[in-house]
Amino acid sequence: QVQLVESGGGLVQPGGPLRLSCAASGRIFSILAMGWYRQVPGKPRELVAGITSGSSTKYIDSVKCRFTISRDNAKNTVYLQMNRLKPEDTAVYYCNIKSLTSLGTYNYWGQGTQVTVSS
């Protein structure tokens, strides 16, 4: 059984850094992409950053030049380094792994980790 375990969330002052980690346990075949989403109450979950199996990355405009996504394929782990955090970055952050199965694509999700940016 596959589980995604996130860590690294918490309370940080504006302008500070945080690093999120997401480690996948269990066997996942054919990982297409890994990513980080976030959600605030009353709004849909949004993709913050993604990285493909070929290490191509993409970011939403509001985090470009502040956040960096990376992965360790050997450990099935994805990271999100967040710098110069802003109060509007406050959200629950979810790790996602998209895999290719014989039935099509499948999404694995972490349990979510709270990030609060406040003075």
Side-chain angles (χ1 to χ4, degrees):
Q1 185 175 355
V2 174
Q3 283 189 317
L4 305 186
V5 179
E6 299 154 351
S7 60
L11 173 64
V12 64
Q13 291 188 341
L18 271 180
R19 188 188 194 216
L20 304 182
S21 299
C22 173
S25 62
R27 197 167 183 181
I28 304 177
F29 295 96
S30 300
I31 293 178
L32 298 174
M34 307 172 87
W36 288 93
Y37 289 70
R38 68 186 180 189
Q39 188 170 25
V40 297
K43 292 189 176 181
R45 193 173 294 186
E46 64 174 355
L47 176 64
V48 176
I51 184 167
T52 68
S53 57
S55 296
S56 295
T57 58
K58 63 177 178 180
Y59 302 89
I60 56 172
D61 287 344
S62 61
V63 308
K64 284 180 180 177
C65 300
R66 298 190 298 122
F67 290 11
T68 302
I69 189 170
S70 60
R71 59 189 289 175
D72 184 333
N73 292 331
K75 298 180 180 179
N76 271 356
T77 300
V78 61
Y79 307 95
L80 186 67
Q81 178 65 46
M82 304 184 292
N83 297 324
R84 302 197 306 277
L85 281 159
K86 303 176 181 180
E88 51 263 43
D89 294 318
T90 296
V92 178
Y93 284 70
Y94 296 90
C95 169
N96 169 266
I97 293 180
K98 186 183 301 294
S99 70
L100 181 63
T101 73
S102 59
L103 299 177
T105 59
Y106 185 85
N107 285 292
Y108 296 95
W109 292 95
Q111 79 283 2
T113 185
Q114 177 71 47
V115 171
T116 302
V117 184
S118 175
S119 55

